[in-house]
Amino acid sequence: MTRQEEQGDAGRRVGRRRGALKAVGLTLTGFLVLGTAAAGYAYWHLSHNIKSVDINSALGDDRPAKAVIAPATAAAPLPTGSLNILVLGSDSRSGKANQELGGGDSSGARSDTAMVVHLDAGRTRATVVSIPRDTLVTRPSCPLASGGSTAAAYGAMFNSAYAVGGPVCAVKTVESITKVRMDHYIEIDFSGFAKLVDALGGVDVTTTQNIDDDQSHLHLKAGSHHLDGKQALALARTRHGIGDGSDLGRIGLQQMLVKALLEQMAATNLLTDPAKLYRVADAVTASLTTDTGLDSLGELTRLGQSLKGLTAGHVKTVMMPVVTAPSDHNRVIANEPAATRLWASLR
């Protein structure tokens, strides 16, 4: 082979290598573009899953004062101030999934579960206060999205606020009876809760008594159990198979379940399993309604990141102090002055 032929052959080999490298580069670029596009779509999809209500605009300035929160800085980019969040579990029957889990009429909804979550300054400790849905309260007049307002009601069941005026009235009623500003609002429905538990791989709970509730279709022997989403929802809703069948017994189960879910989330390292992380995020956001301050994946992520120092062991669960209502032994009223002292501690 002549020198000229050798040079030509070497040139062709270099050309082929360059062509191969170019192909690999284009392929990698393609994967990066597809990955970026997929990530962008996932972010868009999760954010658009979330429904929101502009509670601040609806209620205006006639509310308890906001807590003073120091702005984020370069040294502390995440918020660290105290925060109060009203968390509702809705028994909405809208949609096939909710009807299958909840049954009943497909129209209307009530706040089946209500908790005020107070995050201490620094956000390493929290107090979760459950409000019994059977509590008789003074329900204030609430603005309606369609215009006008609801009538004030005296001696009304607490969960009727959501039924007559939705999230806005639920927040206004809670602020009226607690004198505590609700900085945020989060609502999740039946199917969303069940899907969240399933996406986490179930949840471990320990019951101290047998549970036999034909209405929630839950039958458990006392002891430890691994529950799937449908079973966990039944546990959160059961009331007739425990204690005196009142809402107060159910609250104890709900609070136990909240702590169990926090422990399950801590034990599941979602950041190392993007597929599971997406399933959990999709399950939560698809059934979530928030105030407009939390209606994007970015805002929810910032809230979650600000809680990275919070563990289940530093979450205190209590119930608003109540006593049997004199007018109806099936209802309760706030036990004063204990209830007022509890709410004052959260301001």
Side-chain angles (χ1 to χ4, degrees), residues 1 3-16:
M1 182 181 292
R3 185 176 183 84
Q4 187 176 6
E5 288 174 332
E6 288 176 350
Q7 289 175 340
D9 188 54
R12 284 190 292 272
R13 286 198 300 272
V14 170
R16 285 195 295 271

Side-chain angles (χ1 to χ4, degrees), residues 252-304:
L253 294 177
Q254 291 172 347
Q255 292 178 338
M256 174 189 69
L257 195 52
V258 166
K259 285 201 169 186
L261 278 172
L262 289 174
E263 290 168 355
Q264 180 67 17
M265 288 180 183
T268 306
N269 193 346
L270 297 176
L271 295 180
T272 63
D273 189 343
K276 179 174 281 191
L277 175 61
Y278 181 82
R279 288 196 299 272
V280 170
D282 193 37
V284 173
T285 57
S287 301
L288 203 65
T289 301
T290 71
D291 65 284
T292 49
L294 288 179
D295 63 353
S296 73
L297 191 60
E299 291 296 336
L300 286 173
T301 299
R302 276 174 57 80
L303 175 61

Side-chain angles (χ1 to χ4, degrees), residues 45-55 90 92 94 98 162 167 185-189 191-192 282-297 300:
H45 171 71
L46 294 174
S47 287
H48 280 72
N49 269 347
I50 305 167
K51 299 179 288 292
S52 66
V53 179
D54 192 350
I55 290 172
S90 164
S92 169
S94 63
N98 280 321
Y162 183 95
Y185 171 85
I186 296 176
E187 174 192 331
I188 189 166
D189 64 22
S191 65
D282 193 37
V284 173
T285 57
S287 301
L288 203 65
T289 301
T290 71
D291 65 284
T292 49
L294 288 179
D295 63 353
S296 73
L297 191 60
L300 286 173

Side-chain angles (χ1 to χ4, degrees), residues 65-71 78-85 116-127 180-184 303 306-307 343-347:
K66 286 183 178 180
V68 178
I69 299 177
L78 294 173
T80 59
S82 63
L83 209 63
N84 291 300
I85 306 172
V116 173
V117 178
H118 173 77
L119 303 172
D120 288 357
R123 303 195 183 176
T124 58
R125 292 183 178 275
T127 302
V180 176
R181 173 78 169 231
M182 295 297 110
D183 301 294
H184 290 298
L303 175 61
S306 77
L307 304 179
W343 297 125
S345 71
L346 306 186
R347 293 184 196 130

Side-chain angles (χ1 to χ4, degrees), residues 111-134:
S111 53
D112 201 54
T113 302
M115 296 179 177
V116 173
V117 178
H118 173 77
L119 303 172
D120 288 357
R123 303 195 183 176
T124 58
R125 292 183 178 275
T127 302
V128 179
V129 185
S130 294
I131 303 176
R133 70 176 193 176
D134 294 339

